[in-house]
Amino acid sequence: MTTIVLDTLTKRFGDNLAVNAASFTLETGSFTALLGPSGCGKTTILRLIAGFEQPSAGSIHFNGRQVGSPGAMVPPERRSLGIVFQSYALWPHMDVASNVAYPLQARGLGRAAIDERVGAALEMVSLAGFGQRSVDGLSGGQRQRVALARCLVTGTDIILLDEPLANLDVHLRAEMLDVFARLHEKTGATIVFVTHDQSEALALADRVIVLDRGVVQQSGRPEQLYNEPANAMVAGFVGRGMLVSALVSDGRVTLADRPVLVRGQVQGSKAALLLRPENLTLADAGIPAAVVAARYSGAGYDTILQLANGEQVLLTARERLEPGRPVHFAIEDAWIVPG
Amino acid sequence: MTTIVLDTLTKRFGDNLAVNAASFTLETGSFTALLGPSGCGKTTILRLIAGFEQPSAGSIHFNGRQVGSPGAMVPPERRSLGIVFQSYALWPHMDVASNVAYPLQARGLGRAAIDERVGAALEMVSLAGFGQRSVDGLSGGQRQRVALARCLVTGTDIILLDEPLANLDVHLRAEMLDVFARLHEKTGATIVFVTHDQSEALALADRVIVLDRGVVQQSGRPEQLYNEPANAMVAGFVGRGMLVSALVSDGRVTLADRPVLVRGQVQGSKAALLLRPENLTLADAGIPAAVVAARYSGAGYDTILQLANGEQVLLTARERLEPGRPVHFAIEDAWIVPG
Amino acid sequence: QEGKLVLYTSQPNTDAQQTADAFMAKYPGITVEWVRDGTPKIMAKFRAELEAGAPLADVLLIADVVTMEGLKAEGLLLNYPEADTTGFDASLFDEDGAYFSTKLITTGIVYNTAATMVPASWLDLTKPEAKGQIAMPSPLTSGAALIHTVTLTDNLAEGWDFYSALAANGAQASGGNGDVLTAVAGGEKLYGMIVDYLPIREAAKGAPVAFVFPTEGVSAVTEPAAILASAHNPDNAKLFIDFLLSEEGQQLASSQGYVPARDGIALPAGYPDRAEIKVLPYNAAAALANETANKEQFGEIFGQ
Amino acid sequence: MATALFVDGTFDASLLLNRLVRGATQRAIFNTLDTSLFGALLALMLGGPFALLIAATDMPLRKLQGFLLILPLMIAPQVMALAFMHLLGPSSALLGALGLAPPPGTANPLLGRGGIILLFGIQHAPIVFITLRAGLVSIPRDYVEAARAAGMGPARVLRGIVLPLLGPYVIAAAALAFVSGVGNFGIPALLGMPENYLTLATLIYQQLSSNGPTVLPQVAGLSLLICAIAILGIGAQGLALRRRQFALTRGMPMQFALGRWRWPAAMAGMLALSVALLLPAAALITTSLVPAYGVALSTATVTLDNYAEVLLRQASTMRAFVNSSYLSLLAAAILALLAVPLALGMARLPRTFARLAHGVLELPYALPGIVLAIACILLFLRPLPLLGSLYATPWIILIAYLMRFAALALKPVEAALGQLPPDLTEAAAASGAGAIRRLLTITAPLVAPAAAAGALLVFMSAFNELTVSALLWSSRNETIGVILFSLEESGLSPQAAAVAVITLVVIMVLLALLDRLSGRLPTGVLPWR
Ligand SMILES: Nc1ncnc2c1ncn2[C@@H]1O[C@H](COP(=O)(O)OP(=O)(O)OP(=O)(O)O)[C@@H](O)[C@H]1O
Ligand SMILES: Nc1ncnc2c1ncn2[C@@H]1O[C@H](COP(=O)(O)OP(=O)(O)OP(=O)(O)O)[C@@H](O)[C@H]1O
Ligand SMILES: [Mg+2]
Ligand SMILES: [Mg+2]
């Protein structure tokens, strides 16, 4: 079992700080999502952990042993980890079984042992009997699972996944979510997966690390991130919701002169409130606003309301409200975004 | 103003029927979404309308004039329409203004007139003053808008958009949704846009045409598609929800021996019910089920329940329910999927 | 009588092959390897090898004695005074036995049978009918051509003026004899200065060319053979020289379409009587001494 | 290269200056620039329309035409020149049969400047075609369709959109064609030397072959001149390109519908190709079937004797076939084996070093063969410490081939490596495989087809090669190119034609073989696919 520690890890490409002093610990058996917009450095962190890139500063330790630092590097082939690339990176000149067997051959196992473990790994991803198939003829989800089997076959306890669901269509996505969940349960491996899709991160991980421009913004359980985002970036990136500015006096928060029930720390005379649509309801009495636009979303109408001060909030209405119409809404819950 | 009529339009690529006898009418001033999974023929229909492909069978009429048929074709340059490609297709050897001016040059306008209309078009997409910029230096959303300006500049009344939002990030997407809505309001053009994202289609269009494997599955208002899907494919593709099989006796529909309030036509002794999560609630009494899995989604926990007959439904719970736990749920609304 | 023999020759490919084949038929134990190229090129090659310290050739069989004189002076040739020279005029071999002429190759005039004027004299080539229609080998690339030039300028009353007149008449001097044959047989030029055997042989095969021995006489090279001092197989080389000079070897030369050097061998078909061929005299030693000057004079006239 | 030229301590600037002021040298410089420039223009005019028709329209017979158009590149220039001379001379059997042959006494219209330019045009049209085609398929159809939707007809779209986007490729194609002309020996040798119309390449050859190694220093100077011109050409290209690089999006390549012009266009293309290729080939075959040059071909005169002569009787020709075969095979095999590690190594180098290494590898291919040969003579004439002198052994030719064709073998492998996603090897590393194992089990098998394609290209080019071996061959080590040239020089045109026909057949067979392999190669390795 492996604990991975990143200590002020920094990676520079030329002038570009891809990863900027990232420090966090990945506990044994944890399932962590690296979440962030495109280019924020997620893949780079994964590649630093895998050993494909050398840190510009800081270090990486596996179970206390330093494996990566600007001075020295354990090469990827000696880190004993499994990685699934976004592209799957199956070798087209080998069949499914040979792809899966490769890591075992690299470790010098015998024929019989290899065959047995390859069979078991294919079983695990529900691909028993696919061994002789060419990888070219597989569907996206099947490739995904072959790649997974290849990374599992050595019984490694670190599994790295780079946008594992990005290339799959909606149905395959749901199926693979199940596979990952099952896998984590069964193997107890330390899993790190990279995604730019907050719903994936929230649904799968027991720990989410949000990155922006190379800097760790917040790290915590999914509920924590959603309910108590540490700053405006996380508030905007995770879930839907709008920030509005409220006034603070005597420790009480008011919006449009009405008191609001809030969670979080009050500081100074102003507060940035995160209002999520599921916590807002139309009410006869409440904060006055005007409808700006309504868009059908199936389950309801995503309605944008404008406050008197020009700020906007998002609310889900059951009917289509005409733009311009004055309404009132009530706030059931709000979070004061720090900073 | 232009009405576009497709009459049993068919396009074959070798053995592949990309579009199979599609018939529909795009009314003057309508905003239509072509929705469907990858490879269903959306782009092909757009290209048939634009005149880049010749029909294998059937015909296309603009205002009653035939413009495309297996025998004869009006070439794209004489159809007087605007098109925005997924790639934007801005010409890199011209600056922004020249890109926008090109369609006017094709029409032989004078310098002064061109400058004026280019200015107006750039204004419309909020890019005034960008004329001298090279297109290489623009962001995705800016490129998108230059392409839009180029397609608007001639005052054409047919605008075709191919996955106009696919390359944009979440924030730009929201912004461009606004631009399109405003544009439709202002110009009153007949707009057709292609997407594989049902939420985009529902939010933007006043008419959605769902395609699958080249065949039109359903065509109607967004609410119609969501609430009354014409078949299982549409039910599965638009919105979230699960199909369960109910029994019909004496014109009454029962699920697990409990009566269910349904909309739709009862036929025979069985009915496929579409149950959407927003219409299901946990209830003390109700249909018995067992929790299969729960995934955090921010606004709640997407919980999969299994009925006694093994079928599954999706429900949004406020708390995390442990797998295996027995629950009951009530159905507020259900739709009998025809066919 | 075994091992191999390396022959550097300027004979055309076919002839070189036949000579080698005939020799090997006589001495089955010996393999002949031969390399063919124009005389200056084959010499350039030989000298480059010499410089690299690994000359490969045993026997040289090249167009002219001038080159042989030079090689002899440098001591690069092996004397073979024991060679049987019966039937050879004394002028046809070196008194020390350094080299031996094997045949007489004369240079005369070839014309395309479609030409209206049939030339009889060298001076006919300066007539207007021949304007722009003359091809000749360049002495800068062909050894035989150089000797021909020297012989004609020495013997004709006009001297170098003859060549100036040729140049004025649009004569084109380039490449070797093969290029001249190609040009005249292909009809691109109507007249050419060329060695005798090429057009006579090709005419026999049906090519539309004919050869003329001009009235003033012809120049001749004698295609001498010599053993190199650096030869790896001197014994085989001696056998080869003997073979070339023997009646058998001379018959072979005749059958290939050459005038044999040895008396008493019949001339090949298509040649006039031996007595009718008037060979103009020429001084090899002087030619060697003036080689550069002659080349330069020629180059000046023809602007090369 | 330069060091090779200076290795011989006798190089001296005054010699070069002496050379320069000589009329013959000045004339040769002018002729070189003249023919290369106009040849490049002609190649553009020939290859450009074909590239457009084949890459960007629905013209029928596209693939066949692409294949045929590429042939001149695979056929030795001297064979090409020979074929055209036999086609157009007064004794042309083909024209004769049609009653169109010019009367005897008419100089071959191809001799001299015009013919050289024409053949440069034909010989280098494939380079233009390949380059422009690569450019055309990189222009996504969206650009064109957007322009047509904007209301422009096909002709104006071509002028306003396609050509400007193609600009860098046009410049690159012209520069390549120009440099190829500067370095070409076979065509000016056969079409220029008979008329004393010399280019730098033929001037060097003539100097060297009539004066021997004594003129090496002067000749080295002339070689430097060629290098300078070639480098100038490439440099000018780089300069012109710097200002016009566009970032293009990716997408399906464009295609224009020709409508009712489809078949007329195809016919016109085939006609042009027949004139440029099939007719001269036919002329070559005809010549190879007559007993002597100038004899008209008829049932009475037809003979296979030339084939019998070169194949059965002349040991040297057979030896040349064997030599060329094993030299080219060896070169191909060695380069195929070296290509993968070499390409990998170069990819690892820092950018500037990689570019330098590329330059070093590409130069011998871009330079005239004759210059390379001289460099080899200078390098290997003197005995080497362990090996002794390589001159006058086949090894010097092999080494020259390896230097000359390394770029050819490397190109497809680099293309394949470039297309090889890095994560394939990274996945292997993560699986625990070390560098050597990765190379052997992942990289090498995946790029093997490309290495094979490169090897075949090397084989074909080396099999035909004349310019390098013309100066490097020695007793028993003659190559086909040398034999061909020498037969032609001895006036044995029909036999030369027979040899040329045989090499043509070999090349065609190899190309067909390569075509068969195409399914397993990365895209873009086979220029006609
Ligand atoms: N090999 C490289 N050389 C130069 N810059 C690089 C390299 N790899 C990544 N970068 C840069 O580092 C930054 C972070 O890249 P990274 O691939 O880690 O982003 P990401 O979060 O994975 O984004 P995405 O979601 O788009 O995959 C980007 O600005 C990227 O351009
Ligand atoms: N030029 C073509 N040649 C051959 N087949 C084609 C061509 N264009 C499209 N097809 C095929 O026709 C079918 C429909 O393609 P189309 O591009 O219309 O799909 P789409 O709905 O736009 O899909 P996506 O969402 O992936 O863009 C696909 O199977 C596609 O492979
Ligand atoms: Mg990434
Ligand atoms: Mg599409």
Side-chain angles (χ1 to χ4, degrees):
Chain A
M1 297 294 102
T2 309
T3 303
I4 302 169
V5 177
L6 277 64
D7 183 14
T8 58
L9 193 67
T10 298
K11 178 69 190 179
R12 213 183 296 274
F13 291 111
D15 287 345
N16 185 359
L17 258 180
V19 178
N20 189 356
S23 297
F24 51 84
T25 302
L26 305 167
E27 299 293 346
T28 296
S30 63
F31 194 153
T32 307
L34 292 178
L35 176 67
S38 177
C40 70
K42 307 179 294 289
T43 298
T44 307
I45 288 184
L46 211 68
R47 294 172 58 80
L48 284 162
I49 296 175
F52 297 131
E53 308 278 359
Q54 184 150 21
S56 310
S59 64
I60 305 178
H61 293 254
F62 284 10
N63 286 336
R65 186 171 66 106
Q66 173 167 311
V67 296
S69 75
M73 277 263 288
V74 176
E77 60 265 32
R78 299 226 310 278
R79 293 194 182 193
S80 168
L81 38 73
I83 182 162
V84 176
F85 293 83
Q86 189 175 341
S87 62
Y88 314 145
L90 300 181
W91 300 303
H93 61 299
M94 304 181 183
D95 63 13
V96 168
S98 316
N99 263 281
V100 177
Y102 192 85
L104 300 175
Q105 284 162 354
R107 282 165 178 74
L109 261 69
R111 260 313 278 264
I114 288 184
D115 285 353
E116 194 200 312
R117 291 176 67 169
V118 167
L122 285 176
E123 191 97 43
M124 188 144 167
V125 297
S126 322
L127 281 182
F130 275 66
Q132 265 39 261
R133 292 271 287 270
S134 135
V135 296
D136 280 336
L138 299 181
S139 76
Q142 289 169 335
R143 285 162 182 257
Q144 169 76 276
R145 283 180 284 163
V146 174
L148 207 52
R150 182 176 66 187
C151 119
L152 296 175
V153 74
T154 54
T156 171
D157 52 10
I158 307 178
I159 296 177
L160 309 176
L161 307 162
D162 192 359
E163 308 259 8
L165 304 177
N167 288 340
L168 303 182
D169 68 30
V170 190
H171 299 278
L172 272 173
R173 235 171 230 255
E175 188 183 314
M176 291 311 299
L177 280 176
D178 286 339
V179 173
F180 289 133
R182 226 171 49 223
L183 171 79
H184 183 228
E185 232 163 77
K186 261 199 211 166
T187 62
T190 306
I191 301 184
V192 184
F193 88 105
V194 156
T195 180
H196 63 265
D197 179 345
Q198 47 109 4
S199 67
E200 250 173 43
L202 294 181
L204 264 183
D206 50 33
R207 171 101 172 291
V208 180
I209 296 172
V210 181
L211 289 164
D212 191 32
R213 271 167 277 154
V215 180
V216 173
Q217 304 287 328
Q218 188 171 4
S219 155
R221 283 181 310 106
E223 287 85 351
Q224 216 172 337
L225 254 71
Y226 189 84
N227 293 324
E228 302 168 4
N231 57 34
M233 186 267 150
V234 178
F237 197 78
V238 177
R240 298 191 307 164
M242 299 278 204
L243 288 182
V244 295
S245 52
L247 292 179
V248 181
S249 63
D250 299 338
R252 294 180 49 204
V253 177
T254 57
L255 187 65
D257 296 333
R258 261 157 246 256
V260 186
L261 218 72
V262 300
R263 293 174 292 112
Q265 213 63 41
V266 181
Q267 270 175 343
S269 65
K270 288 207 163 195
L273 288 192
L274 171 65
L275 301 179
R276 298 214 183 260
E278 68 269 21
N279 298 325
L280 304 185
T281 44
L282 289 174
D284 291 337
I287 296 163
V291 174
V292 172
R295 282 209 201 99
Y296 187 55
S297 76
Y301 292 84
D302 289 338
T303 309
I304 297 174
L305 305 178
Q306 183 151 14
L307 304 183
N309 66 357
E311 289 179 330
Q312 299 192 331
V313 299
L314 183 68
L315 172 149
T316 310
R318 282 251 144 182
E319 287 110 52
R320 182 185 288 279
L321 302 176
E322 282 314 299
R325 183 174 147 177
V327 292
H328 292 81
F329 67 93
I331 300 172
E332 284 168 19
D333 182 54
W335 166 252
I336 300 180
V337 177
Chain B
M1 298 292 103
T2 308
T3 304
I4 301 171
V5 178
L6 275 66
D7 184 13
T8 58
L9 194 67
T10 298
K11 178 71 191 180
R12 214 182 297 275
F13 292 111
D15 287 345
N16 184 0
L17 259 179
V19 178
N20 190 356
S23 296
F24 52 81
T25 301
L26 305 168
E27 299 292 346
T28 296
S30 63
F31 194 153
T32 307
L34 292 179
L35 175 66
S38 179
C40 69
K42 307 179 295 288
T43 299
T44 307
I45 288 184
L46 213 67
R47 294 173 55 79
L48 283 161
I49 295 176
F52 300 134
E53 307 278 1
Q54 186 153 21
S56 309
S59 63
I60 305 178
H61 292 254
F62 284 12
N63 285 336
R65 187 169 67 107
Q66 173 167 313
V67 296
S69 76
M73 277 264 288
V74 176
E77 60 266 31
R78 299 226 310 278
R79 294 193 182 193
S80 170
L81 36 75
I83 183 162
V84 176
F85 294 83
Q86 191 175 338
S87 64
Y88 315 144
L90 301 181
W91 301 301
H93 61 298
M94 304 182 183
D95 62 13
V96 168
S98 315
N99 264 281
V100 178
Y102 192 82
L104 300 174
Q105 284 161 354
R107 284 164 178 73
L109 261 69
R111 264 309 282 263
I114 289 184
D115 285 354
E116 195 200 310
R117 291 176 66 171
V118 168
L122 286 176
E123 190 95 42
M124 189 141 165
V125 297
S126 322
L127 281 182
F130 276 66
Q132 266 35 262
R133 292 273 286 271
S134 134
V135 296
D136 278 340
L138 301 181
S139 75
Q142 290 169 334
R143 283 160 185 257
Q144 170 74 275
R145 283 181 284 163
V146 174
L148 208 52
R150 183 174 67 184
C151 122
L152 295 174
V153 74
T154 55
T156 172
D157 51 14
I158 308 179
I159 296 178
L160 309 177
L161 308 162
D162 193 357
E163 307 259 8
L165 305 177
N167 288 340
L168 304 183
D169 69 29
V170 191
H171 298 278
L172 272 174
R173 236 171 231 258
E175 190 183 313
M176 290 312 298
L177 279 177
D178 286 340
V179 174
F180 288 133
R182 223 170 53 224
L183 171 79
H184 183 228
E185 230 166 76
K186 259 199 211 164
T187 63
T190 308
I191 301 184
V192 185
F193 90 103
V194 157
T195 180
H196 63 264
D197 179 344
Q198 47 107 8
S199 68
E200 249 173 43
L202 294 181
L204 262 185
D206 50 35
R207 172 101 173 292
V208 178
I209 295 173
V210 181
L211 289 164
D212 192 33
R213 272 169 276 153
V215 180
V216 173
Q217 303 288 328
Q218 187 172 4
S219 155
R221 283 180 309 107
E223 286 86 351
Q224 217 171 338
L225 254 71
Y226 189 84
N227 293 324
E228 303 169 2
N231 57 34
M233 185 266 150
V234 179
F237 197 79
V238 178
R240 299 192 306 166
M242 300 277 204
L243 288 181
V244 296
S245 52
L247 292 179
V248 181
S249 60
D250 300 336
R252 293 181 50 205
V253 177
T254 57
L255 188 65
D257 296 333
R258 262 155 244 257
V260 186
L261 220 72
V262 301
R263 291 173 295 111
Q265 214 63 42
V266 180
Q267 270 177 346
S269 63
K270 290 207 163 196
L273 289 191
L274 172 65
L275 302 179
R276 299 212 183 262
E278 67 269 22
N279 299 323
L280 304 185
T281 43
L282 289 174
D284 292 337
I287 296 164
V291 173
V292 173
R295 282 209 201 97
Y296 187 56
S297 75
Y301 292 84
D302 291 337
T303 310
I304 297 173
L305 305 179
Q306 183 150 17
L307 304 184
N309 67 357
E311 289 177 331
Q312 299 193 328
V313 298
L314 185 68
L315 174 147
T316 311
R318 282 253 144 179
E319 288 111 52
R320 185 184 285 278
L321 303 176
E322 282 313 300
R325 181 172 148 181
V327 294
H328 292 82
F329 67 94
I331 299 173
E332 282 168 18
D333 181 54
W335 166 251
I336 301 182
V337 177
Chain C
Q1 296 185 4
E2 56 187 24
K4 61 175 192 171
L5 177 77
V6 180
L7 170 66
Y8 274 26
T9 176
S10 62
Q11 286 179 300
N13 284 21
T14 323
D15 301 335
Q17 185 69 47
Q18 282 173 359
T19 311
D21 287 346
F23 179 70
M24 286 191 287
K26 186 161 182 189
Y27 301 102
I30 301 175
T31 337
V32 179
E33 285 163 2
W34 54 271
V35 175
R36 188 224 87 87
D37 216 326
T39 300
K41 284 187 224 165
I42 209 90
M43 289 314 298
K45 182 172 216 30
F46 168 67
R47 289 201 175 270
E49 290 174 7
L50 204 62
E51 191 160 327
L56 296 177
D58 296 316
V59 174
L60 280 182
L61 176 55
I62 56 175
D64 63 304
V65 295
V66 183
T67 314
M68 288 297 192
E69 277 289 338
L71 291 175
K72 183 188 172 195
E74 289 178 62
L76 292 172
L77 299 184
L78 183 78
N79 289 342
Y80 181 34
E82 305 86 13
D84 175 15
T85 50
T86 22
F88 284 78
D89 189 283
S91 68
L92 287 177
F93 57 90
D94 178 60
E95 64 225 56
D96 300 325
Y99 55 85
F100 309 88
S101 297
T102 59
K103 55 196 75 147
L104 288 176
I105 299 177
T106 70
T107 293
I109 298 174
V110 63
Y111 63 93
N112 189 297
T113 48
T116 44
M117 175 197 73
V118 173
S121 148
W122 288 113
L123 294 180
D124 285 346
L125 293 182
T126 58
K127 284 183 179 170
E129 289 96 321
K131 185 150 185 79
Q133 296 292 351
I134 306 159
M136 54 196 272
S138 163
L140 305 179
T141 44
S142 159
L146 180 60
I147 288 171
H148 175 67
T149 307
V150 174
T151 312
L152 278 197
T153 50
D154 280 357
N155 289 287
L156 291 186
E158 291 81 2
W160 279 103
D161 289 345
F162 170 63
Y163 273 86
S164 302
L166 278 181
N169 210 19
Q172 178 186 302
S174 62
N177 284 294
D179 297 316
V180 173
L181 178 71
T182 311
V184 176
E188 287 160 26
K189 300 283 177 195
L190 292 179
Y191 307 101
M193 289 186 188
I194 195 169
V195 293
D196 51 19
Y197 64 92
L198 278 178
I200 289 174
R201 189 174 63 191
E202 294 299 303
K205 286 197 222 160
V209 289
F211 185 75
V212 176
F213 291 86
T215 47
E216 295 94 337
V218 292
S219 72
V221 292
T222 55
E223 197 145 287
I227 305 170
L228 288 161
S230 56
H232 300 288
N233 308 292
D235 294 338
N236 291 344
K238 285 175 184 167
L239 285 178
F240 188 72
I241 297 288
D242 288 339
F243 173 74
L244 288 178
L245 303 184
S246 70
E247 253 193 77
E248 192 184 352
Q250 290 292 305
Q251 286 289 3
L252 176 66
S254 170
S255 73
Q256 286 169 343
Y258 302 103
V259 179
R262 188 177 172 127
D263 287 335
I265 310 282
L267 262 58
Y271 283 85
D273 224 33
R274 186 163 207 143
E276 282 174 31
I277 303 175
K278 180 182 169 200
V279 177
L280 297 171
Y282 118 100
N283 184 337
L288 179 61
N290 296 329
E291 184 176 340
T292 324
N294 287 331
K295 276 187 180 176
E296 262 173 20
Q297 174 122 33
F298 182 89
E300 208 157 283
I301 290 174
F302 281 83
Q304 288 177 22
Chain D
M1 172 66 42
T3 48
L5 294 176
F6 286 98
V7 157
D8 198 81
T10 49
F11 180 77
D12 176 349
S14 66
L15 281 173
L16 177 58
L17 280 179
N18 275 341
R19 277 273 132 212
L20 273 177
V21 297
R22 282 240 343 227
T25 311
Q26 279 176 359
R27 252 196 328 273
I29 294 175
F30 175 78
N31 290 346
T32 305
L33 291 174
D34 182 35
T35 51
S36 310
L37 206 64
F38 284 99
L41 285 182
L42 187 64
L44 270 183
M45 278 155 50
L46 291 175
F50 270 109
L52 195 66
L53 283 172
I54 291 174
T57 72
D58 55 355
M59 180 177 71
L61 305 178
R62 290 195 298 277
K63 206 185 273 176
L64 175 68
Q65 295 196 14
F67 182 81
L68 287 177
L69 194 60
I70 231 71
L71 280 180
L73 208 55
M74 303 294 165
I75 298 173
Q78 67 272 19
V79 174
M80 196 76 170
L82 206 57
F84 267 90
M85 282 174 72
H86 290 183
L87 175 65
L88 290 182
S91 64
S92 162
L94 256 169
L95 293 185
L98 297 174
L100 291 177
T106 316
N108 192 315
L110 281 177
L111 286 181
R113 175 176 181 271
I116 296 177
I117 290 176
L118 175 71
L119 282 211
F120 275 2
I122 292 175
Q123 185 89 24
H124 301 145
I127 298 179
V128 173
F129 167 67
I130 293 168
T131 315
L132 291 190
R133 209 184 73 140
L136 281 166
V137 299
S138 76
I139 299 178
R141 66 178 181 187
D142 291 359
Y143 286 111
V144 171
E145 290 178 347
R148 297 197 64 185
M152 288 285 191
R156 292 181 69 188
V157 171
L158 212 58
R159 215 175 50 235
I161 306 291
V162 177
L163 283 185
L165 290 180
L166 209 55
Y169 292 91
V170 175
I171 294 170
L176 275 176
F178 172 79
V179 171
S180 306
V182 172
N184 196 306
F185 170 73
I187 288 171
L190 265 77
L191 298 183
M193 274 167 35
E195 277 212 323
N196 278 314
Y197 184 90
L198 297 181
T199 62
L200 281 173
T202 45
L203 179 67
I204 290 176
Y205 174 78
Q206 209 176 56
Q207 292 292 331
L208 204 65
S209 57
S210 52
N211 298 321
T214 48
V215 291
L216 264 182
Q218 287 104 304
V219 162
L222 285 178
S223 311
L224 274 184
L225 248 164
I226 298 193
C227 289
I229 294 180
I231 289 168
L232 267 181
I234 294 176
Q237 172 204 355
L239 219 67
L241 281 186
R242 193 161 309 156
R243 293 186 297 110
R244 349 163 107 244
Q245 288 293 10
F246 307 120
L248 296 183
T249 55
R250 289 169 153 266
M252 277 180 73
M254 62 178 168
Q255 196 174 61
F256 287 97
L258 291 179
R260 62 206 160 85
W261 293 105
R262 282 178 76 225
W263 279 102
M267 289 298 114
M270 289 309 288
L271 191 72
L273 284 173
S274 335
V275 171
L277 281 171
L278 300 184
L279 281 183
L284 205 55
I285 294 173
T286 339
T287 305
S288 74
L289 293 176
V290 297
Y293 191 52
V295 179
L297 182 68
S298 69
T299 45
T301 54
V302 67
T303 169
L304 286 175
D305 203 50
N306 296 309
Y307 288 94
E309 178 72 28
V310 297
L311 281 182
L312 306 176
R313 290 199 275 279
Q314 285 181 17
S316 63
T317 319
M318 273 323 286
R319 205 160 53 217
F321 270 105
V322 173
N323 286 342
S324 276
S325 300
Y326 88 73
L327 280 174
S328 342
L329 264 179
L330 263 179
I334 294 175
L335 285 176
L337 286 179
L338 285 182
V340 180
L342 211 61
L344 274 178
M346 300 231 302
R348 291 280 151 72
L349 288 176
R351 181 96 56 89
T352 39
F353 280 109
R355 212 173 286 160
L356 200 70
H358 251 126
V360 169
L361 277 171
E362 299 241 344
L363 200 61
Y365 188 62
L367 283 181
I370 202 146
V371 178
L372 179 69
I374 292 168
C376 281
I377 295 180
L378 291 174
L379 274 175
F380 300 119
L381 191 59
R382 277 142 222 279
L384 293 176
L386 279 174
L387 302 167
S389 174
L390 288 180
Y391 184 76
T393 69
W395 308 122
I396 192 171
I397 303 185
L398 183 65
I399 289 173
Y401 281 1
L402 291 181
M403 286 158 74
R404 184 160 179 76
F405 299 122
L408 219 50
L410 216 56
K411 274 252 161 65
V413 172
E414 281 186 324
L417 280 178
Q419 286 176 15
L420 198 68
D423 50 19
L424 287 186
T425 43
E426 289 180 351
S431 298
I436 305 280
R437 193 185 189 94
R438 292 201 295 269
L439 176 65
L440 291 180
T441 57
I442 306 291
T443 313
L446 286 175
V447 301
L456 258 171
L457 288 180
V458 170
F459 180 83
M460 282 189 294
S461 312
F463 192 67
N464 269 310
E465 202 286 329
L466 165 64
T467 44
V468 172
S469 40
L471 289 185
L472 295 182
W473 74 285
S474 51
S475 159
R476 284 168 286 129
N477 300 319
E478 53 278 84
T479 62
I480 293 180
V482 168
I483 286 291
L484 197 67
F485 196 59
S486 146
L487 282 173
E488 185 65 21
E489 257 192 341
S490 327
L492 297 170
S493 297
Q495 288 180 25
V499 174
V501 169
I502 296 168
T503 61
L504 271 186
V505 169
V506 172
I507 292 299
M508 294 287 282
V509 168
L510 282 174
L511 279 177
L513 211 73
L514 204 54
D515 195 61
R516 270 295 178 80
L517 209 68
S518 64
R520 311 191 40 216
L521 299 176
T523 47
V525 165
L526 296 190
W528 63 91
R529 284 238 165 206

